[in-house]
Amino acid sequence: MSRTTNSHQLPDMDRTTPEPEVTPEAPPADTSDDIQHSTPLEEAAPAEGVAAQHAVSSESSESSERDGAEEATAAEEGAAGEAPAGEKAVGDVPVGEASAEEGTTASAGESEEKPAVDIDTDAASDKVSGAQEEATEEAPAEEAPAGEKKTLSGEAPAAEESKAAAKDPAVEESPAAETDPADEGDTGTDEDTSAGDGPAGPPDEPAAPGKWRDRHPVAARNVGWTVTGLSLLLICFALLMPTSAPKFTPGVFLRIPVEAVLGAAVLIVLPRRPRIAVAILSGAILGVLTVLNLLDVGFNMFLGRGFNVVLDWVLFDDAQSYLKDTMGNGGAIGAVIAVVALVLIVLVLMTLAVLRVSNVMTRNRDAASRVTLVVGTAWVTCAALGLQLSGPGIAARTTVARVEDRVNRVQATLKDEAAFAKEAKKDAFGGTPGDQLLTDLRGKDVMIAFIESYGRSAIEDEATAAGVDATLTAKNEALTKAGYSAKSGWLTSATYGGSSWLGHSTFLSGLWINNQNRYRTVTAGEHLTLTGAFKRTGAWRTVGVMPGIQKNWPEGKFYGLDNVYDSRELGYEGPKFSWSTMPDQYALSAFERLEHGKKRDKPLMSEIILTSSHQPWAPIPKMIPWDQVGDGSVYEGIEKAGKDPADVFYDSKKVKEEYGKSIQYSVNSLIDYVVKYGSKNTVLVFLGDHQPLASVSGSNASRDVPVSIVAHDKSVLDKIDDWGWTDGIKPDKSAPVWRMDSFRDRFLTAYGSTPVKR
């Protein structure tokens, strides 16, 4: 009998193109109907056995079966230890590889030279029958590599592998099927498992290691549960987070968000693909809401109000300019990059967190359903009974309420735009001729000065009151000594913590300008302003001193100013003091040099913005002799000796102290200028534009600012005796409080203007 010798090539799991197989010669024909040999002799017998080379008859006698029973048992043991080359055992380990390692397979030349061996056909029949029955029973569990020859059962290895995969629960519940990149442990695919269970190369090479989670299942499971827990905490934080810094207390987060209960119920019942889509969409929406909540926190801290999604985007340009002025160009760019990165991180993390939790709930659907039912019942119970912890109710619907509030604010903003446009067209003094305006102030040099962030807290807060009150008292005495008198009261500003131009426009226009949309609307129209009333008379030259403006300012025309001196036109050659482009004393000195000190044929009406008290209140300039101000280069040493903004702005105690000092400096500059350069015809109106930010004024501070009128001519103050204001430049706590938009009409009426509607 001729024999075909195999090359003993081991199957390679990673091989994309299988090695060509050598087809053995067909065995002698067999007349038996019970046993069919479709396998080469090398696959049907142990490596050293030759009994499988012959077909045996299924009609062997019972006595032969008894005689060969022990030999069949030995054949089964041999088959278990030395499987035919090319076949794999139950555990996906090719037994032929083991036999190859033991050196039991002979080379082609040796096998041809072997002498013939007499074989007991009965015993061989028993051996082959036992081996065939064992192979038939174990065939469904085997996973042979692609391209391997048929097994004894006649089924292709690919079909057997597909059946095994269909019956393998690990495949059904694999993370790949759930699109969850990080499962708790049993997350390997069939490929990972086979790679870890058996060698992937020749028998003399080490087996390829499995994934980290396969080698450390306990640690992987712990990491998985940790990630799931953190994802759940992140979602709850986003659903419960407040919109102002003082409200971040533990009790706020010890509540049940109804949005989480409803979201879990929806995700549990959805099929796989819709569930993934809903989870991604929900995570993205929750990320956007979290970003908006963070903006609310920042706006409440600086401006005392929430973020307006319609109007406030323009403020980011001003914020970037502020960062550039205070931190330099590099610092501003770094801050912008950090903010953009933070927004992207929030969006990505929130989306992944929702997707993670939804996958875990789906894999544990029954347990997740029970937990959702229990938590939902607890929410309904707490809501019905009104149960609370320290303040807010345990049953929370924070996100739903906040979305409703944002929608309402958007709708109100859009309606307000149309309503305000009509309101701005109505003007009690809009039709008054110039010769009937401000008749009782003719011949007076009128100064209207805004002191940045000069709020009520500067006078009444314990951290700042002592120094500011002492300065106001001293400067009031200096005014009295110079022959001046003053009266003071309170105005409620339309803005808080920033957006100074809203306060300026409210005071001068007599309209409530509390957002950017209103500001754009009024400045684009022809509504009469207080400064515009002076211009309409034709009796005054009107100018503006605006050291905070660093580019063209078209609003100057709306305010009725003949000339505007911005930071580029005041001739300053010294250093900036953080955001402030120049010290207040220099701005007033430049005003004296450019306008007030010159001979004129008309009195002067001026609007002056003093900026040294602008945040971050470091470094602060110092008063120097007026004749030493010059071009401002003298301030080089003062600026270098000042404090670093970072050392002040983020220290709650220092920032209040430095804020108070900045107000003292601005008041000193203004009053000293009036005493030195004023005259018998000087009338000064000065006020704050808004309160400082909440970290200085407090989260519950009012929007009130002090306002004072100073005049050398006592008859000027007699015109406002009925206002009930306090004598001096420090208003009493009990002094009247008016809305800032009411000042224009009161002032025009007090000094002889006649309301005439158009």
Coordinates of all heavy atoms in Angstrom, one line a residue, residues 394-439:
I394 N -36.5 67.3 47.9 CA -35.8 66.1 47.5 C -36.1 65.7 46.0 O -35.3 65.3 45.2 CB -36.1 65.0 48.4 CG1 -35.5 65.3 49.8 CG2 -35.4 63.7 48.0 CD1 -35.8 64.3 50.9
A395 N -37.4 65.9 45.7 CA -37.9 65.6 44.3 C -37.5 66.8 43.5 O -38.2 67.8 43.5 CB -39.4 65.3 44.3
A396 N -36.5 66.6 42.6 CA -36.0 67.8 41.8 C -36.4 67.6 40.4 O -36.5 66.5 39.8 CB -34.5 67.8 41.9
R397 N -36.7 68.8 39.8 CA -36.9 68.9 38.3 C -36.1 70.1 37.8 O -36.6 70.9 37.1 CB -38.4 68.9 38.0 CG -39.1 70.1 38.7 CD -40.6 70.0 38.4 NE -40.9 70.1 37.0 CZ -41.1 71.2 36.3 NH1 -41.0 72.4 36.9 NH2 -41.4 71.1 35.1
T398 N -34.9 70.2 38.3 CA -34.0 71.3 38.0 C -33.8 71.6 36.5 O -34.0 72.7 36.1 CB -32.7 71.2 38.7 OG1 -32.9 70.9 40.1 CG2 -31.8 72.4 38.6
T399 N -33.4 70.6 35.8 CA -33.1 70.8 34.4 C -34.4 71.1 33.6 O -34.3 72.0 32.7 CB -32.5 69.5 33.8 OG1 -31.3 69.2 34.6 CG2 -32.1 69.7 32.4
V400 N -35.5 70.5 33.9 CA -36.7 70.8 33.1 C -37.1 72.2 33.4 O -37.4 73.0 32.5 CB -37.8 69.8 33.6 CG1 -39.2 70.3 33.0 CG2 -37.5 68.4 33.1
A401 N -37.0 72.7 34.7 CA -37.4 74.0 35.0 C -36.4 75.0 34.4 O -36.9 76.1 33.9 CB -37.4 74.2 36.5
R402 N -35.2 74.7 34.3 CA -34.2 75.6 33.7 C -34.4 75.7 32.2 O -34.2 76.8 31.6 CB -32.8 75.1 34.0 CG -31.7 76.1 33.9 CD -30.5 75.8 34.7 NE -30.7 75.8 36.1 CZ -30.2 75.0 37.0 NH1 -29.3 74.1 36.6 NH2 -30.4 75.1 38.3
V403 N -34.7 74.6 31.6 CA -35.0 74.7 30.1 C -36.2 75.5 29.9 O -36.3 76.4 28.9 CB -35.2 73.3 29.5 CG1 -35.7 73.3 28.1 CG2 -33.9 72.5 29.6
E404 N -37.2 75.4 30.7 CA -38.5 76.2 30.6 C -38.1 77.7 30.8 O -38.6 78.5 30.0 CB -39.5 75.8 31.6 CG -40.1 74.4 31.3 CD -41.0 73.9 32.4 OE1 -41.1 74.7 33.4 OE2 -41.7 72.9 32.3
D405 N -37.3 77.9 31.7 CA -36.9 79.3 32.0 C -36.1 79.9 30.8 O -36.3 81.1 30.4 CB -36.0 79.4 33.3 CG -35.5 80.8 33.6 OD1 -36.4 81.7 33.8 OD2 -34.3 81.0 33.5
R406 N -35.2 79.1 30.2 CA -34.4 79.7 29.1 C -35.4 79.9 27.9 O -35.2 80.9 27.2 CB -33.4 78.7 28.7 CG -32.3 78.5 29.7 CD -31.1 77.7 29.2 NE -30.1 77.4 30.2 CZ -29.3 78.3 30.7 NH1 -29.2 79.5 30.2 NH2 -28.4 77.9 31.7
V407 N -36.3 79.0 27.7 CA -37.2 79.2 26.6 C -38.1 80.5 26.8 O -38.3 81.3 25.9 CB -38.1 78.0 26.4 CG1 -39.3 78.3 25.4 CG2 -37.3 76.8 25.9
N408 N -38.5 80.6 28.1 CA -39.3 81.8 28.4 C -38.5 83.1 28.2 O -39.0 84.1 27.7 CB -39.8 81.7 29.8 CG -40.9 80.6 30.0 OD1 -41.5 80.3 29.0 ND2 -41.0 80.1 31.2
R409 N -37.2 83.1 28.6 CA -36.4 84.3 28.5 C -36.1 84.6 27.0 O -36.1 85.8 26.6 CB -35.0 84.1 29.2 CG -35.1 84.3 30.7 CD -33.8 84.4 31.3 NE -33.2 83.1 31.5 CZ -31.9 82.9 31.8 NH1 -31.1 83.9 31.9 NH2 -31.4 81.7 32.0
V410 N -35.9 83.6 26.2 CA -35.8 83.8 24.8 C -37.0 84.5 24.2 O -36.9 85.5 23.4 CB -35.4 82.5 24.0 CG1 -35.5 82.7 22.5 CG2 -34.0 82.0 24.4
Q411 N -38.2 83.9 24.5 CA -39.4 84.5 24.0 C -39.6 85.9 24.5 O -40.0 86.8 23.8 CB -40.6 83.6 24.4 CG -40.6 82.2 23.8 CD -41.7 81.4 24.3 OE1 -42.3 81.7 25.4 NE2 -42.0 80.2 23.7
A412 N -39.3 86.2 25.8 CA -39.4 87.5 26.4 C -38.5 88.5 25.7 O -38.8 89.6 25.5 CB -39.2 87.5 27.9
T413 N -37.2 88.0 25.4 CA -36.3 88.9 24.7 C -36.7 89.3 23.4 O -36.6 90.5 23.0 CB -34.9 88.2 24.6 OG1 -34.4 87.8 25.9 CG2 -33.9 89.0 23.9
L414 N -37.3 88.3 22.6 CA -37.8 88.7 21.3 C -38.9 89.6 21.3 O -39.1 90.5 20.5 CB -38.1 87.4 20.5 CG -37.0 86.4 20.3 CD1 -37.5 85.1 19.6 CD2 -35.9 87.0 19.5
K415 N -39.8 89.4 22.3 CA -41.0 90.3 22.4 C -40.5 91.7 22.9 O -41.0 92.7 22.5 CB -42.0 89.8 23.4 CG -42.7 88.5 22.9 CD -43.7 88.0 24.0 CE -44.4 86.8 23.5 NZ -45.4 86.3 24.5
D416 N -39.5 91.7 23.8 CA -39.0 93.0 24.3 C -38.4 93.8 23.2 O -38.5 95.1 23.3 CB -38.0 92.7 25.4 CG -37.4 94.0 26.0 OD1 -38.1 94.6 26.7 OD2 -36.2 94.3 25.7
E417 N -37.8 93.2 22.3 CA -37.1 94.0 21.2 C -38.1 94.9 20.5 O -37.9 96.0 20.2 CB -36.4 93.0 20.2 CG -35.7 93.7 19.1 CD -35.0 92.8 18.2 OE1 -35.1 91.5 18.4 OE2 -34.4 93.2 17.2
A418 N -39.3 94.3 20.1 CA -40.3 95.0 19.4 C -40.9 96.1 20.3 O -41.2 97.2 19.9 CB -41.4 94.1 18.9
A419 N -41.2 95.7 21.6 CA -41.8 96.6 22.5 C -40.9 97.8 22.9 O -41.4 99.0 22.9 CB -42.2 95.9 23.8
F420 N -39.6 97.5 23.0 CA -38.7 98.6 23.4 C -38.5 99.6 22.2 O -38.3 100.8 22.4 CB -37.3 98.1 23.8 CG -36.3 99.1 24.2 CD1 -36.4 99.8 25.4 CD2 -35.3 99.5 23.3 CE1 -35.5 100.8 25.8 CE2 -34.4 100.4 23.7 CZ -34.5 101.1 24.9
A421 N -38.5 99.1 21.0 CA -38.4 100.0 19.8 C -39.5 101.0 19.8 O -39.3 102.2 19.5 CB -38.4 99.2 18.5
K422 N -40.7 100.6 20.2 CA -41.8 101.6 20.3 C -41.6 102.5 21.5 O -41.9 103.7 21.4 CB -43.1 100.8 20.5 CG -43.5 100.0 19.3 CD -44.8 99.2 19.5 CE -45.2 98.4 18.3 NZ -46.5 97.6 18.6
E423 N -41.1 102.0 22.6 CA -40.9 102.8 23.8 C -39.9 103.9 23.6 O -40.0 105.0 24.1 CB -40.5 101.9 25.0 CG -40.2 102.6 26.3 CD -39.7 101.7 27.4 OE1 -39.7 100.5 27.2 OE2 -39.2 102.2 28.4
A424 N -38.8 103.5 22.8 CA -37.7 104.5 22.6 C -38.2 105.7 21.8 O -37.6 106.7 21.8 CB -36.5 103.8 21.9
K425 N -39.2 105.5 21.0 CA -39.8 106.6 20.1 C -40.5 107.6 21.0 O -40.8 108.7 20.5 CB -40.6 106.0 19.0 CG -39.8 105.2 18.0 CD -40.7 104.6 16.9 CE -40.0 103.8 15.9 NZ -40.9 103.2 14.9
K426 N -41.0 107.2 22.2 CA -41.7 108.1 23.0 C -40.7 108.8 23.9 O -39.9 108.2 24.6 CB -42.7 107.3 23.9 CG -43.7 106.5 23.1 CD -44.6 105.7 24.1 CE -45.7 104.9 23.3 NZ -46.5 104.1 24.2
D427 N -40.8 110.2 23.9 CA -39.8 111.0 24.6 C -40.5 112.3 25.1 O -40.9 113.1 24.3 CB -38.6 111.3 23.7 CG -37.5 111.9 24.5 OD1 -37.7 112.3 25.7 OD2 -36.4 112.0 23.9
A428 N -40.5 112.4 26.4 CA -41.2 113.6 27.0 C -40.5 114.9 26.6 O -41.2 115.9 26.4 CB -41.3 113.5 28.5
F429 N -39.2 114.8 26.4 CA -38.5 116.1 26.0 C -38.0 116.0 24.6 O -37.2 116.9 24.1 CB -37.3 116.3 26.9 CG -37.7 116.6 28.4 CD1 -37.9 115.6 29.3 CD2 -38.0 117.9 28.7 CE1 -38.3 115.9 30.6 CE2 -38.4 118.2 30.0 CZ -38.5 117.2 31.0
G430 N -38.4 115.0 23.8 CA -38.0 114.8 22.5 C -38.3 116.0 21.6 O -37.6 116.3 20.7
G431 N -39.5 116.6 21.8 CA -39.9 117.7 21.0 C -39.6 119.1 21.5 O -40.0 120.1 20.9
T432 N -38.9 119.2 22.7 CA -38.7 120.5 23.3 C -37.6 121.2 22.5 O -36.5 120.7 22.3 CB -38.2 120.3 24.7 OG1 -39.2 119.6 25.5 CG2 -37.9 121.6 25.4
P433 N -37.9 122.5 22.1 CA -36.9 123.2 21.4 C -35.6 123.5 22.3 O -35.7 123.5 23.5 CB -37.6 124.6 21.1 CG -39.0 124.2 21.2 CD -39.1 123.2 22.2
G434 N -34.5 123.8 21.7 CA -33.3 124.0 22.4 C -33.3 125.2 23.3 O -32.7 125.1 24.4
D435 N -34.0 126.2 22.9 CA -34.0 127.4 23.8 C -34.9 127.2 25.0 O -34.9 128.1 25.9 CB -34.5 128.6 23.0 CG -35.9 128.4 22.4 OD1 -36.5 127.3 22.6 OD2 -36.5 129.3 21.8
Q436 N -35.6 126.1 25.1 CA -36.4 125.8 26.3 C -35.7 124.7 27.2 O -36.3 124.2 28.2 CB -37.8 125.3 25.9 CG -38.6 126.4 25.2 CD -40.0 125.9 24.8 OE1 -40.5 125.1 25.5 NE2 -40.6 126.5 23.8
L437 N -34.6 124.3 26.8 CA -33.9 123.2 27.6 C -32.8 123.8 28.5 O -32.0 124.7 28.1 CB -33.2 122.2 26.6 CG -34.1 121.3 25.8 CD1 -33.4 120.5 24.7 CD2 -34.9 120.3 26.7
L438 N -32.7 123.3 29.8 CA -31.6 123.7 30.7 C -31.4 125.2 30.8 O -30.3 125.6 30.9 CB -30.3 123.0 30.2 CG -30.4 121.4 30.1 CD1 -29.3 120.9 29.3 CD2 -30.5 120.8 31.5
T439 N -32.5 125.9 30.9 CA -32.4 127.3 31.0 C -31.7 127.8 32.3 O -31.1 128.9 32.3 CB -33.8 128.0 30.9 OG1 -34.7 127.4 31.9 CG2 -34.4 127.7 29.5

